[in-house]
Amino acid sequence: MYTGGYVADISIKRAHHLGLQGAREAADTMAGRLAEKFDLSGDWQGDVLHFRRSGVQGSLAVSDHDMKLEVTLGFMLKMMKGPIEAAVHEQLEKVLAAPARSSRPKTSEAKAAAAKKPAPRKK
């Protein structure tokens, strides 16, 4: 995976059972959370999300069975590698533990709750 010619400081590969669309949704969710926390911006090129900010660049490649994350940190951020890597692992755990809401089928309880609407009042 291309990281601008630099060796990745953080390299993580995780298997998943979300399928390609679910993995893309999970990657978007994770990218959104990390963007808020670390002020990252990114864009998709095929099935690879490239992201950057001053002192950080990387990519998250998704497939139907795994995710590969590679991050290169600038000199000043190398000192923060531990907390950054911990935050990335935490976000990966969260997004891979629960399917994205849009792709999760409703349970029978959720369907029943949605079907229960207050009866219209008679005048």
Side-chain angles (χ1 to χ4, degrees), residues 73-84:
L73 302 172
F75 179 74
M76 295 300 288
L77 289 176
K78 285 186 190 290
M79 294 181 286
M80 298 292 296
K81 178 184 174 187
I84 292 169

Side-chain angles (χ1 to χ4, degrees), residues 4-120:
Y6 300 99
V7 175
D9 295 300
I10 300 171
S11 184
I12 302 168
K13 182 176 179 180
R14 289 281 176 90
H16 65 76
H17 302 289
L18 303 174
L20 182 58
Q21 184 62 34
R24 283 183 67 103
E25 290 173 10
D28 277 334
T29 299
M30 184 177 97
R33 291 175 183 168
L34 292 173
E36 290 175 15
K37 189 167 188 169
F38 296 110
D39 194 29
L40 295 171
S41 63
D43 59 290
W44 284 97
Q45 294 174 358
D47 291 328
V48 181
L49 176 62
H50 295 274
F51 53 89
R52 71 202 98 14
R53 70 156 257 187
S54 179
V56 177
Q57 66 182 18
S59 60
L60 176 60
V62 298
S63 73
D64 60 346
H65 55 84
D66 65 23
M67 294 179 145
K68 297 174 189 171
L69 175 75
E70 296 202 353
V71 180
T72 302
L73 302 172
F75 179 74
M76 295 300 288
L77 289 176
K78 285 186 190 290
M79 294 181 286
M80 298 292 296
K81 178 184 174 187
I84 292 169
E85 190 167 10
V88 170
H89 277 285
E90 178 184 338
Q91 290 304 318
L92 270 173
E93 290 299 322
K94 286 180 181 179
V95 300
L96 294 179
R101 288 183 184 168
S102 63
S103 64
R104 185 183 325 158
K106 287 187 175 182
T107 64
S108 57
E109 293 170 1
K111 288 178 185 176
K116 287 185 181 179
K117 294 181 182 176

